[in-house]
Structure formats: C-alpha cells, structure tokens
Amino acid sequence: MTNALTFLSTICGALKNIKRTGWVRMGVPLPESDADHMHRCAMCALLVTSQLPDPRDDYSSGTNSQFHPANINGSKLLKMALTHDLCESIAGDITPFCDEGAVASKHDKEKAAMEQIREVVGDPLGKELFELWKEYEELSTPEALYCKDIDKFEMVMQAFEYEKAHLISKNELSSWCISSDDDGRKIPALSEPLRTFYITTSKKMRSPMFQRLDAELRIEREEMLRQRGWEVLPEEK
C-alpha cells in the first residue's frame, strides 16, 4: 500500500532541506538544496528531446549516435533526472571529498535507501524509482549517460553562478578581510574560485550537447575570472 503522504512529506520534503555537501564544504553563501539541483536537472533533460537537435552537435561519429535525441526515451530521462538523488533524502549527500568510510559505503547506503523508499511508495511506482536509480548508477543506457552528463553540467553551472555572485576580485582580497555590513557582520563572499568543481568535471561530458554547453560555459567563466584578476588553471579547462 502506498504511503503517499510520507513519500511527499518525509522523503521529498527532506530534499528541500538537504544542502548540497560540496557547496557547504566550500563555504558558499546560501547553498542550494538537493531539490534545487534536481529541478534544473529536469529542465536540462527536457531540452534533450523537446527541441530539434542543434546543428552544432555532431551525432554521426563513433558512439555519438546513441545520444541523438531521436534515440532517447525522453520520458525516462526526465524521470531519471528528477529523481536521481532521491536516495539522498535518507542516505545523505555523500561526495568523493567526504571521509573514506562514508565514500566506501555510499553505494550500499543509497541502495538501502532506495529499497526503503520503494517500500514506502509501493509498487509499481516504487519499483520504477528503484530501477531508474539502478540504471543511473550502472550507466547502462544512453538515458543514464545523459543523466550523468546533466548531473555534472548542472553542478558546473551552479559553481559558475556562485562565482559570478560571490567571488571577489583578486585585488580586493585584503580589503574584503575586514569588510562588513552596517551591523558589523562579515559580508558573505568567496575569496577564491571554486576550482575543484571544474577540475573534477573537465572533459568528462560524453554527449555532444553537453560537451558543447560545458565548453561554452567554461569560456564565459574564463572571461569572468580574467576580469576579476583570476587565472584559469589548465586542468580546469
């Protein structure tokens, strides 16, 4: 029997309150939640099959043909993007930079969480959610590969937006150390670029569409950093 209220309140509701671990670790002001992240992931998924293919994206060579929008199940991709981090409502947001024990047990914790969610939701939806998560984890289909690209790209885009909003110019570092508002509170800001998020995702996109979008974003970021006196490291490009 489906416990819809528990699913919507306790599980889905938790995602609105879980702040993404990577942003918290870097001290980003007002870090986004898991729900924020998955919402824009779903918007990215809509773009894949709801628009005509962009002529700049080459689907003709090698394994790229599997990513042609005509070969993608748009409904599955949308559902996967919207729910790929659902397990974190119970397991938490574990990143590669968490302690070794948490990283080592990440898959088992997330699998157990999805099994628990399946029990709460009930089949057939519970089974579908579990199988979508499993497919995503195994990267066993073009939809799962797309979803992984989307997950990475959305993170990179969010990092860029945080830098645009909060990264101070390099020549203002010394004065920022003592900057405060009228109540004497230090003004939230980033004192250095969020390099880790770009290094760990550099050249990791597999689909032509997100390879292009990722490249465009990094060009914009390089110009923004240059204007603020920062350089882009080779491993970030």
Side-chain angles (χ1 to χ4, degrees), residues 20 68 73 79 94 129 153 175 185 193 222 233:
R20 299 260 285 166
H68 193 286
N73 183 327
K79 290 178 180 180
I94 302 169
L129 292 173
F153 176 71
S175 60
R185 295 171 297 197
E222 186 168 359
L233 304 179

Side-chain angles (χ1 to χ4, degrees), residues 56-70:
R56 293 170 293 179
D57 300 333
D58 180 13
Y59 297 103
S60 63
S61 59
T63 59
N64 282 357
S65 62
Q66 68 179 319
F67 295 113
H68 193 286

Side-chain angles (χ1 to χ4, degrees), residues 37 80-81 83-85 110 130-141 143-152:
H37 166 66
M80 190 179 292
T83 64
H84 70 280
D85 283 338
E110 292 184 346
F130 182 85
E131 290 180 348
L132 283 169
W133 169 82
K134 185 172 182 288
E135 186 175 317
Y136 173 71
E137 284 292 299
E138 295 175 349
L139 299 178
S140 56
T141 63
E143 289 82 8
L145 294 171
Y146 251 124
C147 194
K148 181 60 71 174
D149 274 7
I150 288 170
D151 179 57
K152 289 186 173 73

Side-chain angles (χ1 to χ4, degrees), residues 22-23 25-26 95-97 155-156 159 163 192-202 204 218 221 233 235-236:
W23 309 131
R25 178 176 63 88
M26 298 302 295
T95 77
F97 297 94
M155 181 185 73
V156 172
E163 289 177 327
E192 59 182 348
L194 298 169
R195 300 191 188 279
T196 303
F197 300 93
Y198 300 92
I199 294 172
T200 57
T201 56
S202 176
K204 293 294 178 66
R218 289 172 196 259
R221 176 184 182 250
L233 304 179
E235 57 266 36
E236 293 179 81

